[in-house]
Amino acid sequence: MSRPDSFHPLARLLHWLMALAILAMLFVGVGMVATVSTRHQWLLAIHRPLGVTILLLALLRLGVRLRWRPPPLPSDMPTIMQWLAISSHWLLYALMIGMPLIGWAMLSAGGFPVMLGRSWHLPPILPANSALYAWLRLAHGVLAYLLFFTILGHMAAALYHGLIRRDGVLSSMTFHRLPRRRSPAPSTNTAPEAGDIGSPSQTDPPDSPGYGTPPL
Amino acid sequence: MLEPERTPPARSTWRWAVIAASVAVLLLLFGYTAGWLAPHRLTPQRIVDALQRNAGLHPGYRRNHAKGICVTGYFDSSGNASAYSRAIVFAPGRTPVVGRFAIPGGNPGAPDGGTPVRSLALRFDLANGQQWRTGMNNSPVFPVATPQSFYEQLVASRPDPATGHPDPLKLAAFYAAHPETGAFRAWAKETTPSSSYVTESYYGLDAFYLIDAGGKRHAVRWSAVPEAAAGASEMASATAPDVLAGDLQQRLANGPLRWRLMLTLAAPGDPTNDATRAWPPDRHIIDAGTLVIEHVQPQDNGPCRDINYDPTVLPDGIVVSDDPLLAARSAAYANSYLRRTSEHAGVPGATRVERQP
């Protein structure tokens, strides 16, 4: 299914779908609390169902990530960069799952019906409690900014890998038909995210196109 | 990745520039959307700041209609409106209600006689988990039609620090620039502040749409008309600053109080986006049922305290119209709700509520 040096195609699809959804969500969120125009209404109407969609996609994506481990990072990456890469990814997962849950909990604590459309609504996950509402609302706003700045860092790092280091990290998440590399020598890199299902690329024939071949 | 002969790192400046530009563009767009880079945009924060500036800071209280009292009861639907709206609140039957009577302004200690305006906010808790929230005033029209005008009115009516009263010249200039305030001002001029919440009619002000079972929209405004229209004594405002709460408690001690919930349907051409203009009186009016108020509680610990009466919280079968005030009310109420709940919760940065021993 997947190229050994790339994310599983489903993981790549989810990544780009969610990149769009989460960026849209962040803009909708900061926009709707900063306007009194009629945009406030339709932004709010997008915010809740989109949040639930992101929560479901994030849970699916977590499953995909655990089932098909991501390709290892280049071993010549400095330790601090590897640490940053790994921790920021888990932070992104925590926020992708946490933000919709906090929003849902916040509306529950505020006593609001969690309407997803005109008639569809979710049950409350917390009892009505205004103090809890205030804390969760604060968390929802602060973590939204944390998520935005983490995404900015993530994007900058991806471009750094793609444009400066040119180490294949960026292309492991992009879609392309042709194999990028036809290098004959086997890799001697060790994977920082050990525990991945083998290191199949080491056993690939030199000219293996990778794409579309079974991992083992 | 597992790439033995990696392309050597590139050092060209444009590559760094692409990275920096990508980050900068996203950051600027985000900053604009969030309002940091748009200081002239009217935000909910600016409206609530203006309310707070006019009335002074009263931590833990609503930033407008701060002085009020909680009530509970129910709505008995007649079923008459169910042909026009599929909301189950209009099917024959009973829906519990948590309400709040109040007077406008951000000062919870204001005297009742200082304004002729009285308000009634309601939250209907529908059996299917949906809610209908509405905030109504006893004036048939609102002074202004847009959030921008509302903000300008707040600025114009800011009390002069020297006198404690608004500058009459600034107010006059505002009214001259806003002839749409005429209908409200005429009503305010001829209305003696009532000494009872109970004898007042309350108007939803903004227009909405009812959605019937077939999905057809019907433009509507609603009002609550009291059964006890007479009996309010002319109030001596100077001697009875809290007459309204006392009157309500006294009357409820003698039994429940009732209002008819009336739905006025628009005729083609009636404005749905202008709360300063009343619809002609000959419109089709539906008597949707009876609002019954049974109990009263102080707002400091009553069930209405933690409710944001956001008029855009609507059940299936009612939707907002194109009235620009509705979105602004929703956004500003949310900001006020966040401020006062944060003050109660002791969130850092929020003004602390003085706790009674």
Side-chain angles (χ1 to χ4, degrees):
Chain A
M1 270 299 286
S2 65
R3 291 175 298 165
D5 55 351
S6 282
F7 282 84
H8 189 274
L10 183 56
R12 278 177 277 155
L13 179 70
L14 281 168
H15 171 271
W16 290 106
L17 205 59
M18 291 191 71
L20 272 178
I22 291 172
L23 268 181
M25 191 65 172
L26 287 164
F27 277 85
V28 164
V30 294
M32 76 186 190
V33 297
T35 181
V36 295
S37 75
T38 49
R39 282 192 295 278
H40 177 266
Q41 289 309 112
W42 60 260
L43 290 174
L44 197 62
I46 294 171
H47 197 77
R48 284 173 298 214
L50 185 55
V52 172
T53 308
I54 290 172
L55 175 62
L56 293 175
L57 288 175
L59 292 173
L60 172 64
R61 188 168 170 194
L62 184 66
V64 168
R65 170 110 184 191
L66 295 174
R67 168 67 183 80
W68 293 286
R69 302 297 296 182
L73 291 167
S75 62
D76 62 341
M77 257 172 79
T79 314
I80 180 75
M81 273 172 70
Q82 296 206 1
W83 183 86
L84 267 175
I86 293 166
S87 56
S88 66
H89 280 91
W90 288 114
L91 178 62
L92 285 168
Y93 269 89
L95 290 170
M96 285 190 295
I97 295 168
M99 281 292 285
L101 288 174
I102 291 170
W104 185 357
M106 169 192 117
L107 289 178
S108 305
F112 299 95
V114 189
M115 303 295 284
L116 297 184
R118 280 189 187 168
S119 60
W120 243 62
H121 66 102
L122 295 175
I125 51 173
L126 281 181
N129 178 321
S130 68
L132 216 49
Y133 169 83
W135 284 106
L136 289 167
R137 174 64 185 78
L138 178 72
H140 200 61
V142 168
L143 293 178
Y145 277 91
L146 177 63
L147 177 53
F148 179 72
F149 286 109
T150 310
I151 288 171
L152 271 190
H154 177 78
M155 184 189 76
L159 290 173
Y160 170 74
H161 280 287
L163 293 174
I164 310 289
R165 279 182 56 93
R166 294 191 285 176
D167 55 7
V169 168
L170 178 58
S171 58
S172 69
M173 190 48 98
T174 55
F175 295 91
H176 34 76
R177 292 197 158 275
L178 296 172
R180 282 284 165 92
R181 301 179 290 271
R182 292 175 176 275
S183 175
S187 169
T188 53
N189 287 356
T190 50
E193 290 200 44
D196 295 348
I197 311 164
S199 289
S201 67
Q202 296 182 12
T203 58
D204 278 355
D207 277 321
S208 161
Y211 190 69
T213 57
L216 286 172
Chain B
M1 308 289 294
L2 302 177
E3 187 184 359
E5 289 175 14
R6 210 184 61 211
T7 321
R11 302 237 176 267
S12 81
T13 316
W14 72 264
R15 291 167 186 270
W16 284 107
V18 167
I19 298 175
S22 307
V23 171
V25 165
L26 206 52
L27 196 59
L28 285 172
L29 284 174
F30 198 69
Y32 175 78
T33 311
W36 319 325
L37 304 172
H40 298 296
R41 187 192 304 163
L42 186 55
T43 62
Q45 291 78 5
R46 285 177 69 200
I47 286 185
V48 178
D49 283 345
L51 283 162
Q52 203 167 288
R53 214 176 287 125
N54 287 10
L57 181 60
H58 301 281
Y61 287 93
R62 285 167 164 83
R63 269 25 180 194
N64 197 5
H65 293 244
K67 185 183 186 184
I69 190 162
C70 298
V71 290
T72 50
Y74 54 86
F75 172 64
D76 268 340
S77 169
S78 63
N80 292 343
S82 55
Y84 300 92
S85 170
R86 61 180 182 230
I88 63 162
V89 67
F90 294 125
R94 183 167 290 189
T95 302
V97 168
V98 181
R100 183 174 182 271
F101 288 104
I103 61 170
N107 178 4
D112 292 345
T115 167
V117 176
R118 279 84 181 89
S119 65
L120 171 60
L122 299 172
R123 187 188 77 188
F124 300 74
D125 295 307
L126 280 58
N128 59 7
Q130 298 177 14
Q131 295 180 4
W132 176 22
R133 302 185 185 193
T134 180
M136 305 182 283
N137 282 355
N138 63 338
S139 59
V141 289
F142 198 64
V144 291
T146 65
Q148 187 64 41
S149 304
F150 182 73
Y151 179 74
E152 287 168 25
Q153 187 188 20
L154 287 176
V155 172
S157 50
R158 181 169 304 162
D160 185 325
T163 64
H165 294 285
D167 180 343
L169 288 178
K170 283 185 185 162
L171 268 181
F174 172 79
Y175 290 136
H178 290 273
E180 77 275 17
T181 58
F184 175 83
R185 283 189 293 141
W187 172 86
K189 200 174 168 185
E190 72 193 19
T191 304
T192 312
S194 169
S195 62
S196 179
Y197 285 127
V198 175
T199 54
E200 298 301 289
S201 288
Y202 297 91
Y203 303 89
L205 301 171
D206 305 302
F208 294 80
Y209 288 105
L210 302 178
I211 311 287
D212 66 26
K216 191 165 180 289
R217 302 193 316 175
H218 308 271
V220 68
R221 280 174 172 172
W222 51 74
S223 57
V225 179
E227 284 197 345
S233 55
E234 301 253 314
M235 70 179 299
S237 56
T239 57
D242 301 317
V243 64
L244 290 167
D247 172 84
L248 184 64
Q249 281 155 345
Q250 213 168 9
R251 287 170 188 258
L252 275 173
N254 295 328
L257 302 166
R258 291 182 171 80
W259 281 260
R260 312 293 300 173
L261 185 68
M262 310 302 262
L263 306 181
T264 304
L265 298 182
D270 287 347
T272 53
N273 62 353
D274 187 348
T276 68
R277 288 165 63 196
W279 291 345
D282 62 346
R283 294 294 179 255
H284 182 197
I285 297 176
I286 305 158
D287 181 344
T290 309
L291 171 69
V292 181
I293 298 299
E294 297 178 297
H295 305 289
V296 60
Q297 297 92 1
Q299 68 166 342
D300 291 347
N301 54 17
C304 72
R305 187 194 75 174
D306 294 336
I307 299 176
N308 164 6
Y309 286 100
D310 176 342
T312 67
V313 173
L314 298 165
D316 182 34
I318 311 178
V319 295
V320 295
S321 68
D322 54 347
D323 187 329
L325 290 178
L326 283 168
R329 287 176 73 182
S330 177
Y333 288 21
N335 188 263
S336 165
Y337 185 67
L338 175 60
R339 292 187 196 204
R340 62 193 183 89
T341 55
S342 298
E343 288 156 359
H344 279 290
V347 168
T351 317
R352 289 304 291 261
V353 177
E354 304 272 338
R355 295 196 188 279
Q356 300 291 329

